[in-house]
Amino acid sequence: MALNEIARACALLSSGEVIGLPTETVYGLGADACHGEAVAKIYALKNRPTFNPLILHVSSLPMAQNFGVFNEVALKLAKYFWQENKKPLTLVTHKVKNSGLSELATAGLETMAIRLPNHPVALELIENYGSPLVAPSANPSNRLSTTTRDQVLSYFSDLYVLEGGKCQVGLESTIIDVTGNKPVILRHGGTPLEEISQFLGWNLAVDAGEKIKAPGQLQTHYAPKTPLYMNAVNIQEGGCLLGFGNTPGETLNLSPEGDLIEAASNLFESLHKLDGMGFKSIHVVPIPEKGLGRAINDRLKRAAWGN
Ligand code: TXA
Ligand code: MG
């Protein structure tokens, strides 16, 4: 990344502006996490309910520890998944008091969400800026997330967006709450449940949630404009078929080889494309409910909500 682009992004951030940035999961809308007005601009830009808190993005574990309280499990998870394996994992921790973090960033909650993105541009930006950014996915609330710079610009044409290529993972980070006695998964995402359970040595609980702990889990999230249906067996007239593995009659295929990692990285891009092609409906073939398939099915369910 050219140094002047990072310098320009840093100048915008320090004057309280919002910018677009790539991460390994999806593109984000970045703002200085300690600048209340800048954080407020993110909510306005996304048209996001203010009760839906944001994830703090850091460039190192020590930077994270200035803001979040890392207990033993949190440290263990951060060292393994952030530092050694560079996986997309967001940890919900208690807040360090008087850290300077904007209250609006956490929507007034006692806890906060933190992650270390694994993308050279995001890391260079945060390192140069010297302070963490809050970065929700770069889409208006309830719309599809974005995995290319062009998709971000299609939503926010006036935004300064750093180029970082197509996001490798293609799905948001997995969120784990580590504030209780045992960690709990709040959102399926780019790090499969099985990998975390295996590392911890027990089966991680999934929070079905009486109240919405991760409000991004509102059911209508990630919706294309075209009605979407899962577990397709055949296509309706005027509809299209999104395939996986060997799918005769497909319009697009998430992964002809049936590879869930490839499918995850293609999910949002395929939905954006199909949404723009004028079909009456989008039909998606069944995706196996294992590994990254859980996060893919979670996003598809939200996209299909109400249909
Ligand atoms: O991969 C990602 O995580 C992307 C990229 C840009 O880094 N970001 C992302 O942010 O997905 P966003 O704002 O779209 O989703 C953040 C999620 C929401 O579901 C929010 O409710 C949850 O994190 N969250 C934030 N703080 C929380 C907290 N203290 N407790 C529980 N959930 C929290
Ligand atoms: Mg989002």
Side-chain angles (χ1 to χ4, degrees):
M1 169 90 352
L3 206 59
N4 57 358
E5 288 170 45
I6 293 286
R8 173 152 179 220
C10 286
L12 287 166
L13 288 170
S14 58
S15 60
E17 295 301 325
V18 174
I19 60 151
L21 74 150
T23 81
E24 83 282 30
T25 58
V26 296
Y27 274 72
L29 293 177
D32 182 335
C34 299
H35 193 306
E37 265 171 59
V39 177
K41 280 186 195 163
I42 285 194
Y43 284 104
L45 201 58
K46 276 186 72 90
N47 203 5
R48 177 168 182 142
T50 42
F51 55 73
N52 195 350
L54 305 172
I55 298 175
L56 194 76
H57 288 58
V58 294
S59 56
S60 68
L61 179 53
M63 188 189 271
Q65 288 174 297
N66 290 333
F67 293 85
V69 179
F70 280 64
N71 58 20
E72 206 179 313
V73 185
L75 258 187
K76 199 171 137 174
L77 287 165
K79 282 185 182 153
Y80 184 78
F81 286 101
W82 291 4
Q83 295 183 319
E84 288 167 38
N85 289 285
K86 308 198 184 306
K87 288 283 195 159
L89 186 68
T90 293
L91 298 172
V92 173
T93 69
H94 286 293
K95 295 199 261 187
V96 167
K97 292 214 168 62
N98 303 320
S99 66
L101 180 67
S102 142
E103 270 297 311
L104 195 57
T106 58
L109 291 182
E110 292 299 307
T111 57
M112 62 183 297
I114 315 181
R115 88 178 193 95
L116 180 75
N118 176 31
H119 192 293
V121 175
L123 290 173
E124 197 180 334
L125 174 68
I126 302 166
E127 248 164 50
N128 271 274
Y129 193 60
S131 190
L133 307 181
V134 279
S137 51
N139 53 283
S141 252
N142 300 338
R143 299 293 303 279
L144 291 171
S145 299
T146 49
T147 53
T148 63
R149 179 173 181 271
D150 280 353
Q151 284 164 13
V152 180
L153 290 170
S154 75
Y155 286 140
F156 308 106
S157 54
D158 297 336
L159 197 69
Y160 183 69
V161 186
L162 289 170
E163 176 61 78
K166 181 181 161 183
C167 302
Q168 268 183 357
V169 177
L171 285 175
E172 293 86 346
S173 57
T174 300
I175 304 180
I176 305 190
D177 184 346
V178 288
T179 57
N181 291 338
K182 278 204 161 181
V184 176
I185 285 219
L186 300 181
R187 174 175 81 179
H188 288 297
T191 304
L193 166 73
E194 291 90 334
E195 270 179 45
I196 306 166
S197 291
Q198 196 182 9
F199 170 68
L200 290 171
W202 72 76
N203 284 334
L204 203 60
V206 179
D207 191 319
E210 281 164 19
K211 63 180 172 122
I212 302 164
K213 286 221 189 91
Q217 298 310 80
L218 294 172
Q219 279 175 312
T220 51
H221 223 59
Y222 310 108
K225 278 180 255 155
T226 317
L228 182 142
Y229 301 87
M230 294 174 71
N231 300 318
V233 270
N234 50 28
I235 326 175
Q236 287 164 21
E237 208 190 307
C240 62
L241 187 63
L242 180 56
F244 174 77
N246 180 22
T247 311
E250 70 200 11
T251 314
L252 291 179
N253 196 314
L254 290 172
S255 167
E257 310 291 310
D259 175 358
L260 287 169
I261 298 175
E262 184 184 19
S265 76
N266 286 329
L267 179 69
F268 288 126
E269 195 179 22
S270 305
L271 293 178
H272 274 288
K273 274 191 193 148
L274 293 176
D275 204 19
M277 285 164 77
F279 290 107
K280 274 196 196 145
S281 49
I282 300 171
H283 302 266
V284 190
V285 301
I287 308 293
E289 182 70 6
K290 61 172 190 199
L292 288 181
R294 289 179 206 276
I296 296 175
N297 282 325
D298 173 86
R299 303 305 186 270
L300 286 172
K301 265 180 219 148
R302 291 171 208 294
W305 186 73
N307 292 328

